[in-house]
Amino acid sequence: MSDQKTESGTELNKVTQSAPLPDLPPMTKNQVMDLAMDMGKILLKSGAETSRVEDTMMRFCRSYGYYDLNVFCTPTIIILGDESPRGKSRVFRVRWRSTDLGLIMDVNQLSYNFRCWKMGYVEAKRWLQDRLSKSHPYGNRVVCVASGLGSACFAMLLGSASIYNFVAAFLTGFIAMTLLKMVNNFHPTPFWENFLAGFAIGIVAQTCCLSPYCTMENIIVGALMPFLPGLAFTNGVRDYMAGDLLSGNSRIAEAALFALSIAIGLVFALKAWTWGGLP
């Protein structure tokens, strides 16, 4: 009987007390929560799925023996809660997201190899803040040119071997992405961003098709491909597979709305062209 009490008491201490793994620099619970929240911010802002965000934050907290810390993450919010009697919770609201697989890889490596890096709180905080404020590795000009090349290559994959369609699709994708980057400074909602991209694709494609050598279907479909929300849909499916039904529903619905907004902008451009009496 006494042995059972001893074993249960040992398990309770394991859950409620801090027992960091050997070779880890000492940190308080508040410092561990601070670093874990920074990791979650970087991952979610960089386009990681919510299951990865929760797993990375929990792994870091438990490496220091804090098993009473729990994470709840959705595509727009992170909640890091402390279940201890006097514990406090932290909340972070994500208002914009991008795609940066390099940052996701860096934070994953930190969470898996933190013991080998032997960084204290100050060093880890500085390292994470540098990543959090880090600009995108590719400038707007490179992204716009890549969008144009991708659009042109997709147009060729559709069976069009015409150089005119290649050039027209490049111009359509390049101009649409350039316009999107210009309005990003005004911080519009994602719906209006995608609506504007679809509208620009429709107008530029129809302008190029004033030439008899261009095919509108190949140009439009090729230019649409770089703007389709494939990553959001894939992350939604992965969240479903990980058991995160709320996040899975949110991301799949987000992907569907993004695709719908692009289609609405494209249809509006086609109708506006017709209403203007242009051929």
Side-chain angles (χ1 to χ4, degrees):
M1 189 70 178
S2 61
D3 293 339
Q4 293 178 354
K5 291 182 178 179
T6 303
E7 292 176 0
S8 61
T10 302
E11 292 176 358
L12 181 62
N13 289 334
K14 180 180 178 181
V15 173
T16 58
Q17 294 181 1
S18 173
L21 295 175
D23 301 329
L24 284 176
M27 288 189 194
T28 64
K29 178 182 284 190
N30 188 58
Q31 291 175 336
V32 171
M33 293 179 68
D34 192 21
L35 294 180
M37 182 60 78
D38 284 346
M39 291 181 182
K41 292 177 185 178
I42 296 174
L43 289 174
L44 200 58
K45 284 185 173 183
S46 301
E49 60 273 21
T50 56
S51 56
R52 182 187 298 272
V53 177
E54 293 180 351
D55 178 69
T56 300
M57 295 176 67
M58 290 299 298
R59 187 188 312 114
F60 179 75
C61 293
R62 289 175 178 174
S63 66
Y64 278 89
Y66 296 116
Y67 290 86
D68 52 357
L69 296 179
N70 280 301
V71 181
F72 176 74
C73 181
T74 71
T76 57
I77 194 170
I78 303 174
I79 301 175
L80 178 58
D82 186 355
E83 295 181 357
S84 60
R86 297 185 179 180
K88 297 181 180 179
S89 299
R90 299 192 178 199
V91 180
F92 177 73
R93 179 75 164 84
V94 180
R95 300 191 179 277
W96 60 269
R97 297 188 304 275
S98 61
T99 302
D100 195 333
L101 300 181
L103 283 179
I104 296 176
M105 182 184 65
D106 289 344
V107 176
N108 269 340
Q109 289 181 347
L110 175 64
S111 64
Y112 277 107
N113 304 307
F114 195 79
R115 189 194 307 183
C116 300
W117 291 20
K118 296 182 180 180
M119 290 192 299
Y121 171 75
V122 177
E123 294 83 0
K125 183 70 174 179
R126 185 182 299 114
W127 188 89
L128 290 171
Q129 289 295 331
D130 289 342
R131 286 349 183 239
L132 196 60
S133 59
K134 181 181 178 182
S135 60
H136 201 277
Y138 306 107
N140 291 341
R141 184 177 301 176
V142 176
V143 173
C144 294
V145 172
S147 178
L149 287 175
S151 301
C153 292
F154 277 118
M156 299 296 287
L157 287 175
L158 293 174
S160 173
S162 171
I163 188 63
Y164 297 99
N165 285 338
F166 183 89
V167 175
F170 175 86
L171 291 175
T172 303
F174 177 81
I175 293 174
M177 184 60 71
T178 301
L179 184 61
L180 199 63
K181 293 299 181 181
M182 291 174 61
V183 301
N184 276 342
N185 296 328
F186 301 98
H187 303 290
T189 60
F191 178 87
W192 292 110
E193 285 185 353
N194 289 280
F195 175 87
L196 184 60
F199 183 81
I201 289 172
I203 294 297
V204 177
Q206 290 183 105
T207 302
C208 293
C209 287
L210 293 176
S211 169
Y213 303 103
C214 295
T215 307
M216 183 179 297
E217 292 80 6
N218 292 341
I219 297 172
I220 290 178
V221 175
L224 284 175
M225 296 302 291
F227 296 91
L228 294 180
L231 180 62
F233 183 82
T234 302
N235 284 343
V237 174
R238 293 193 64 178
D239 285 337
Y240 262 128
M241 295 174 64
D244 297 328
L245 301 182
L246 178 62
S247 298
N249 282 329
S250 300
R251 287 192 182 274
I252 291 177
E254 179 185 47
L257 288 175
F258 284 175
L260 181 62
S261 62
I262 296 175
I264 292 174
L266 178 60
V267 171
F268 188 79
L270 297 177
K271 289 295 183 181
W273 189 274
T274 303
W275 293 336
L278 297 174

